[in-house]
Amino acid sequence: MQEMNASLTEKNLFEQAKKAHKMAYAPYSKFAVGAAIEGKSGKIYLGCNVENLSYPVGTCAEAGAIAAMICGGDTIINKILIFATGQELIAPCGACLQRIKEFADDSTTILLANEQGIQKRCSLSELLPFGFVNSELKK
Ligand code: THU
């Protein structure tokens, strides 16, 4: 992981994810998360967490942004920025790392941000060094 110098695209992803986080439906945890993806095409897709009274049914912000990306016609994540407020920087949960893996390539970048801005940039292999792959299932 390394500290970053935010490019224009990354500043835009930051602003969009911050807006998405305001839309979160998180009445149970009260913890709002926003995600913004830049697809290979350059288009941006947003997601926020959507909780449910049946707690495990709730979905993460990353899952929402990935669904929007697929619906919008992109299949490769160039960058994904995750935004939440608070002192502790949050990273995608294990399930979301596997979701990201499905649509990542070698240059996919994961950006972690809080109110102060983008704090970390990571590769997927740093966060998920040994995720699930099975070439047999891809046939
Ligand atoms: N959450 C996300 O949306 N993304 C993450 O990367 C971590 C956690 C959500 C799920 C739940 O609605 C709330 O944060 C508290 O766990």
Side-chain angles (χ1 to χ4, degrees):
M1 292 188 201
Q2 52 188 183
E3 292 310 315
M4 67 156 311
N5 229 342
S7 67
L8 262 184
T9 312
E10 288 173 357
K11 282 183 184 147
N12 187 26
L13 280 179
F14 175 80
E15 291 305 330
Q16 302 274 350
K18 195 172 169 181
K19 277 188 196 155
H21 126 278
K22 288 209 184 307
M23 304 309 293
Y25 177 76
Y28 308 108
S29 72
K30 315 258 189 297
F31 188 71
V33 183
I37 289 175
E38 180 198 45
K40 261 283 180 274
S41 71
K43 281 163 73 178
I44 290 179
Y45 306 96
L46 305 181
C48 59
N49 51 333
V50 181
E51 297 184 346
N52 193 282
L53 180 59
S54 174
Y55 293 179
V57 178
T59 50
C60 287
E62 295 89 329
I66 288 170
M69 178 190 81
I70 293 304
C71 199
D74 266 295
T75 52
I76 299 288
I77 299 171
N78 235 354
K79 298 180 185 209
I80 178 166
L81 186 147
I82 297 103
F83 176 95
T85 61
Q87 287 310 303
E88 285 180 51
L89 196 58
I90 69 150
C93 72
C96 284
L97 288 172
Q98 186 69 37
R99 288 188 176 104
I100 293 167
K101 187 174 176 65
E102 186 77 17
F103 305 109
D105 68 10
D106 289 344
S107 57
T108 297
T109 305
I110 301 171
L111 303 160
L112 309 181
N114 60 17
E115 272 168 314
Q116 282 68 53
I118 298 171
Q119 304 296 333
K120 297 263 185 222
R121 54 156 55 225
C122 322
S123 65
L124 180 61
S125 60
E126 282 177 289
L127 298 182
L128 188 68
F130 197 60
F132 177 64
V133 277
N134 186 312
S135 50
E136 291 297 307
L137 292 178
K138 281 209 162 178
K139 282 179 190 162

